[in-house]
Amino acid sequence: SYRKQREHAAEYDAKAEELDAPFIYAGRVTEKILGNDENGLRLNAAGEGFRYGGLYCPLSGDFQKDNLATVLCAAEELLRQGVIADRRTVREGLASVRWPGRMQYADYRGRKFLLDGAHNPDAAKRLADYLEGLGRPVTLVFSALAKKDVAGVLSELSACPQIRRVIFAPLAAESHAIPFAEAEQLWYTFRNGVP
């Protein structure tokens, strides 16, 4: 929770002061999202000693603002140390970010697809939140390795009302994939609240 994060930050601040070591906490960065769609995230961000207006990052999802806060704090420290020349370099770097398979839009035969390798419950929750924000029905094509927390992932995704249809797809390494019937049963259990 936010309260716990602030408590931990205060503890880290105190320890850093005791050790006479720098401590930069990205949780103090404030962001205002200007746009978040298939083309990426646009936002304003401000932190201790810096302010960026109209930043662009080609990654979609509100949660990216947390990642950007960390990046901006690190970049500001590198600017302070002279490793990065100027803030334009930071802007250009963010605009050129690529993360294949994470909230990545792709065109295929005139249709748009969102590709996401959400392989744990937290990533699945963030994907579900993003899909919910789209406000339109979607079809989920799902597959997973059996060694992953498939139940946790499907539990998060099943709570998303925008997912109206699920297709369980095979993996190339089928022997390592969760069996279709097991994935389908998990989905049905979570979606319908069946024990």
Side-chain angles (χ1 to χ4, degrees), residues 37-39 58-61 63 99 101-108 111-118 126-132 134 136 138-141 157:
D37 57 27
E38 64 193 51
N39 297 312
L59 303 176
S60 298
F63 65 93
W99 192 353
R102 184 64 174 143
M103 303 295 264
Q104 175 188 0
Y105 278 89
D107 290 313
Y108 180 72
R111 297 188 72 184
K112 279 212 180 303
F113 292 86
L114 176 63
L115 307 174
D116 194 275
R126 291 171 184 259
L127 173 60
D129 290 345
Y130 179 77
L131 294 174
E132 192 166 342
L134 293 177
R136 63 179 184 270
V138 297
T139 297
L140 173 69
V141 179
L157 292 173

Side-chain angles (χ1 to χ4, degrees), residues 88-162:
R88 189 184 76 223
T89 304
V90 176
R91 287 180 175 283
E92 290 170 358
L94 285 177
S96 67
V97 169
R98 301 291 178 265
W99 192 353
R102 184 64 174 143
M103 303 295 264
Q104 175 188 0
Y105 278 89
D107 290 313
Y108 180 72
R109 295 186 179 179
R111 297 188 72 184
K112 279 212 180 303
F113 292 86
L114 176 63
L115 307 174
D116 194 275
H119 64 282
N120 61 49
D122 183 55
K125 168 80 170 105
R126 291 171 184 259
L127 173 60
D129 290 345
Y130 179 77
L131 294 174
E132 192 166 342
L134 293 177
R136 63 179 184 270
V138 297
T139 297
L140 173 69
V141 179
F142 183 86
S143 193
L145 295 173
K147 70 181 182 179
K148 297 292 183 181
D149 181 2
V150 179
V153 169
L154 288 176
S155 174
E156 294 294 347
L157 292 173
S158 69
C160 179
Q162 271 56 49

Side-chain angles (χ1 to χ4, degrees), residues 10 20 59 65 72 114 135 163 185:
D20 194 28
L59 303 176
K65 68 182 175 52
L72 292 175
L114 176 63
I163 299 175
Q185 183 59 46

